Structures are given as C-alpha cells and as structure tokens.
Amino acid sequence: MARSIAAVRRTLFMVTLTTLIAAVSAPPDRAFAQQCSAIDYPNDTFQGGFTQGWGKQYGRSVDIDGTVAVVGGAGHAGVYELRDNRWVFVQNLLPPDNLLSSLGFSVSVSGSTIAIGDPSLDSGTGAVWIFERTSGVWMRQPMLQPSTSSYPRRRGSRFGFAVDLSGDRLLVGAPGYDDQQSTIGYAFLFERSGGTWNEKAQMIPSTSHLNRLTPTGFGYSVGIDGELAAIGMPFDLGQG
C-alpha cells in the first residue's frame, strides 16, 4: 500500500512538473494573449471599440471635456460619451486608409473639437489631425503642419508630440524641430477663424536657452488655457 501511495505521489509530481515546464516555455506573447482573452472587461471600461492585441497601446494618451472623453492608441483613438452615468464607446478615429500613422500619440478634446497628434508621420515630420463633431459624428478635417516660410515642415520635428486645445486655440509641441540656426524644440500656436485653423505664432525657449544645438525637449509637453500657455522642456541641461 505504501509503495502504491509513493508511486501516485511520483506521478502527480511529474504531471505538475511537466505542466510548469510547459507554462514557462510557452511564448510570453501567446500566454498574455490567452490571459487577456479570458478577461471580462466591464462595459464602462475604456477598452472596447478597437481590436485588442499587442502594439495597440490603447490608453497611451487621454483627455476629457465634460461628457466626452478621448483615448489615444497606436494609429487610432476612441471617443466615449457619458450616458446615464456610464461611459459608452461611440466612435473610432482613424487616419486615412493605408496611411502609416502614429495618430493617437497625443490627444485633446474641447467642446466639439478633438485634436490628435501624429508625430511619426512622414519620417517624423509629424502632423495634428482635427476631428469635428457634426450631427453626432466625428468627422476628420485636413491635418495641420507647420506652414509658414520661416518655419517650414522638417523631418524629425515630431510635430504633434504634444497637443492641447482651448476653445479656438491649439498649442502643438514639436520637441525635435530644428530651425537650423539657434535652437531645437518649438511649440506652434494655431487659432481657428471661420472654421479654418491658421498658424499664428511660434514659441521657443528664452534667450538664456538659445544657441544650444542639442535637443532640450522644448515642446515635449504643452498646456494652454485662454491667454496662458505652458511648455515643458525636460532635457535642458539634463535637469529640465
């Protein structure tokens, strides 16, 4: 009897060990995908509306204004509305078909307007996509890029790395923008008039931070509210 019990114990140990080895040797992406597929996401969790999976980076950027929330991912963004105390997914915001895009890297919503940064577009030139809500549907508008002759589009600018909306004003960070003269890192101010967004001003670090031909990160983060703007510069002198 004792020998039978010992044999059973050895068998159970071998089964357990085999199971453990199989779990450890399984590809981590497959194991995680199986785990995710078993999770029951609540209806009011910012998760639905786009195919789940690796590389989606859903939630990398978020913003909210009143009863509208926007959640950015890698190449897409989702819009949610608060209805009866529950957040309900209403629409995916996407770039034009077949466009390799980082749309969703940064997002901002103000009233019936959403701005979405796409800093990797066109070899890092970057862009900002504008969506306007019309009859309950968010419609994509022409994208924004630097447009003046003094500050033309440049590859590697990362225009759209950060965005913020305040009514008819939009502030866009371009921490890689090199004016090839005195500084790297800009922010661009756009204003809307008659339904059209126009570039109104360019912002650079103060005089004491100019003539540094290494990235300072100016434009890495931005915020605007009425007449005031704040721009982050986290890499200047290694301290920010």
Side-chain angles (χ1 to χ4, degrees):
M1 181 68 177
R3 294 176 63 183
S4 297
I5 293 175
V8 170
R9 286 176 176 172
R10 283 196 298 272
T11 301
L12 290 175
F13 174 79
M14 292 304 297
V15 170
T16 303
L17 182 59
T18 301
T19 303
L20 177 61
I21 292 173
V24 171
S25 61
D29 55 341
R30 183 182 304 171
F32 189 78
Q34 291 172 349
Q35 180 184 6
C36 286
S37 65
I39 296 176
D40 180 20
Y41 292 101
N43 291 332
D44 57 351
T45 298
F46 287 4
Q47 176 63 32
F50 201 85
T51 305
Q52 299 173 18
W54 284 99
K56 302 302 181 184
Q57 301 180 14
Y58 201 60
R60 72 172 304 155
S61 57
V62 296
D63 197 25
I64 190 169
D65 183 31
T67 59
V68 176
V70 58
V71 181
H76 64 100
V79 182
Y80 296 79
E81 292 182 2
L82 184 61
R83 300 174 181 174
D84 298 326
N85 294 321
R86 295 181 68 84
W87 287 99
V88 179
F89 171 80
V90 295
Q91 188 177 339
N92 274 320
L93 306 182
L94 302 169
D97 292 341
N98 303 319
L99 181 66
L100 185 61
S101 170
S102 58
L103 180 150
F105 191 92
S106 57
V107 299
S108 181
V109 56
S110 179
S112 59
T113 304
I114 292 176
I116 306 179
D118 190 352
S120 296
L121 188 70
D122 189 18
S123 299
T125 299
V128 173
W129 297 95
I130 301 295
F131 290 80
E132 296 284 352
R133 183 171 55 189
T134 303
S135 300
V137 179
W138 294 90
M139 305 294 294
R140 186 176 61 241
Q141 308 298 311
M143 68 180 184
L144 303 179
Q145 290 182 306
S147 58
T148 66
S149 58
S150 299
Y151 301 91
R153 297 187 293 271
R154 299 189 189 280
R155 291 191 174 185
S157 298
R158 305 286 285 167
F159 180 87
F161 194 92
V163 297
D164 196 29
L165 278 166
S166 178
D168 290 324
R169 289 179 175 161
L170 168 66
L171 189 60
V172 181
Y177 191 90
D178 184 357
D179 64 9
Q180 301 180 348
Q181 295 180 19
S182 61
T183 190
I184 297 176
Y186 270 65
F188 293 81
L189 176 66
F190 290 79
E191 289 188 356
R192 179 170 48 192
S193 177
T196 301
W197 289 94
N198 299 298
E199 186 177 327
K200 302 297 291 187
Q202 303 80 33
M203 302 178 185
I204 58 176
S206 61
T207 303
S208 61
H209 297 275
L210 296 180
N211 300 316
R212 295 178 183 168
L213 298 182
T214 57
T216 62
F218 187 85
Y220 196 91
S221 56
V222 300
I224 185 170
D225 185 16
E227 300 290 331
L228 299 176
I231 303 170
M233 186 170 58
F235 306 136
D236 185 55
L237 298 179
Q239 301 176 7

